[in-house]
Amino acid sequence: MSALVVSSSFLPAEPLRKRAPAFDEHGKALSDFMMLFPGLVKKPQHYIQNAIEHIQTVFADFDHAVVFAELNLKLNLLWISVKPIPGVRFQIAEALRAAIPEARLVSHI
């Protein structure tokens, strides 16, 4: 996986559907899901940095599955694209909740 993208800009950005990959290197469709971190943007900077480090640690454990991830601080939302591995979305979501208890699974496709 490439590095976690953290965006906090209030400037317009290219739509996520154009930045996030839709297929893996073998042409298989990727699966996406979102995690919400209520109030993260209002926390002190050291808390936000600690949360980012926890997210990166979880992604390192799932390096075989995570293809793309973007944390939007303005929306307190983490978008994750993973390879089509049964159950991996829930494993990652639970690992994130264990590391950051306020994290909430928003949706998965």
Side-chain angles (χ1 to χ4, degrees):
M1 184 194 106
S2 56
L4 171 68
V5 176
V6 179
S7 67
S8 60
S9 171
F10 290 93
L11 300 174
E14 186 174 40
L16 186 59
R17 64 181 162 74
K18 291 186 178 183
R19 294 190 315 274
F23 301 96
D24 71 7
E25 65 276 8
H26 304 292
K28 290 186 178 180
L30 298 175
S31 179
D32 305 310
F33 67 100
M34 296 179 285
M35 297 288 296
L36 182 66
F37 298 87
L40 182 62
V41 74
K42 296 178 184 175
K43 303 282 186 185
Q45 185 60 38
H46 72 276
Y47 185 93
I48 295 170
Q49 188 58 43
N50 192 35
I52 291 169
E53 290 171 9
H54 284 309
I55 293 167
Q56 290 173 327
T57 299
V58 168
F59 289 165
D61 292 341
F62 290 93
D63 190 44
H64 66 284
V66 177
V67 177
F68 174 85
E70 180 176 286
L71 176 62
N72 183 321
L73 287 174
K74 179 181 173 188
L75 300 176
N76 300 310
L77 193 67
L78 176 64
W79 177 277
I80 306 158
S81 298
V82 294
K83 292 183 179 181
I85 301 170
V88 77
R89 293 175 302 208
F90 297 109
Q91 293 170 357
I92 294 169
E94 284 305 310
L96 286 168
R97 288 205 56 199
I100 308 166
E102 63 266 29
R104 299 289 179 257
L105 179 62
V106 175
S107 77
H108 63 84
I109 299 172

